[in-house]
Each structure stands twice: as C-alpha cells, then as structure tokens.
Amino acid sequence: MRKYVIGTVVAGLAVIPLMTATSASAQATSLVAVSRAPAVAAPVSTCQVRATETLNIREEPTTSSDALGVLPKGELATCYGRTVTGGTYTACGPYSDKYWMPISYNGMDGYVPRTCVKQP
C-alpha cells in the first residue's frame, strides 16, 4: 500500500490528511496540523469608473438580463477585474459592442456597457 499526502488549509492551519490507498479506494487514516498558514484570498483588481449616461445595472452582461438598478450619469462606481464578453449593444456610441464592465454601486453588483463608462 502507498501513502499519499493531500493538504488543505482550514482556519489558518495547514491540515494534511494522511491517506492510504489501494488501486480501488482511498481512506483517511489521520489528520495532522503541520503549521500556521495565512488564509489569503485571491487579490481582486479594482478601479473607479464614471457613467457617461444613465445606465441600467444588469444582473448578467446582456441587455435581456434583469436590471438591478440604475447608475446615474456622472456617478462613480467601483469596477472589478477586466471587462467580460456578453450580449451586443449599441449604447453610448455609433457602433455595436459586446464588452461589459463588472461594477458595484450602492450595494448592487452587476454589469454595465463598457463604452458607457470612463475612468475619472
């Protein structure tokens, strides 16, 4: 029988269950806390954007998605990460586009058309 070590982090402790395995099954034999490991969340890139028009904040990146609320023209919102590809729209410009900005505004998390926001 071979022993395999599989680790995880629980409440800041690195916990390693020692496993014994055969070709058909695996069984935990004990849990060993080996060290204090910091629980680190993946960093999220944030920025600020200003609405160039009054915008519906959408639940999903498409105009057919439910509107969660409104981002008024001139207001600032927090944006997260990169733009995402979604449904096409023609708002805020002469050409159609399909890129949406994930934002947070007044407790609402959703999407607005990328061409309708600018960095302040």
Side-chain angles (χ1 to χ4, degrees), residues 49-53 70-77 105-106 117-118:
V49 291
R50 186 175 308 278
T52 60
E53 299 293 332
V70 173
L71 175 60
K73 181 178 181 176
E75 289 292 310
L76 287 174
Y105 176 75
N106 280 352
V117 293
K118 304 288 182 210

Side-chain angles (χ1 to χ4, degrees), residues 4 11 31 44 49 53 65 68 80 83 95 100 103 107-108 115:
Y4 297 92
L31 294 175
V44 175
V49 291
E53 299 293 332
S65 178
L68 303 172
Y80 295 100
T83 57
Y95 305 104
W100 295 75
I103 64 146
M108 294 176 282
T115 58

Side-chain angles (χ1 to χ4, degrees), residues 25 27 31-33 48 55 60 68 73 108 111 116 118:
S25 67
Q27 180 181 20
L31 294 175
V32 180
Q48 293 285 308
L55 304 171
E60 299 294 330
L68 303 172
K73 181 178 181 176
M108 294 176 282
Y111 299 87
C116 299
K118 304 288 182 210

Side-chain angles (χ1 to χ4, degrees), residues 72-98:
K73 181 178 181 176
E75 289 292 310
L76 287 174
T78 301
C79 54
Y80 295 100
R82 297 181 180 191
T83 57
V84 297
T85 303
T88 58
Y89 58 86
T90 55
C92 306
Y95 305 104
S96 64
D97 201 358
K98 61 181 179 180

Side-chain angles (χ1 to χ4, degrees), residues 4-86:
Y4 297 92
V5 176
I6 302 170
T8 188
V9 175
V10 177
L13 290 175
V15 178
I16 299 175
L18 297 177
M19 307 291 282
T20 57
T22 63
S23 60
S25 67
Q27 180 181 20
T29 57
S30 64
L31 294 175
V32 180
V34 294
S35 69
R36 278 227 173 266
V40 178
V44 175
S45 173
T46 63
C47 60
Q48 293 285 308
V49 291
R50 186 175 308 278
T52 60
E53 299 293 332
T54 297
L55 304 171
N56 285 323
I57 300 171
R58 301 284 182 177
E59 187 174 23
E60 299 294 330
T62 177
T63 57
S64 62
S65 178
D66 289 338
L68 303 172
V70 173
L71 175 60
K73 181 178 181 176
E75 289 292 310
L76 287 174
T78 301
C79 54
Y80 295 100
R82 297 181 180 191
T83 57
V84 297
T85 303

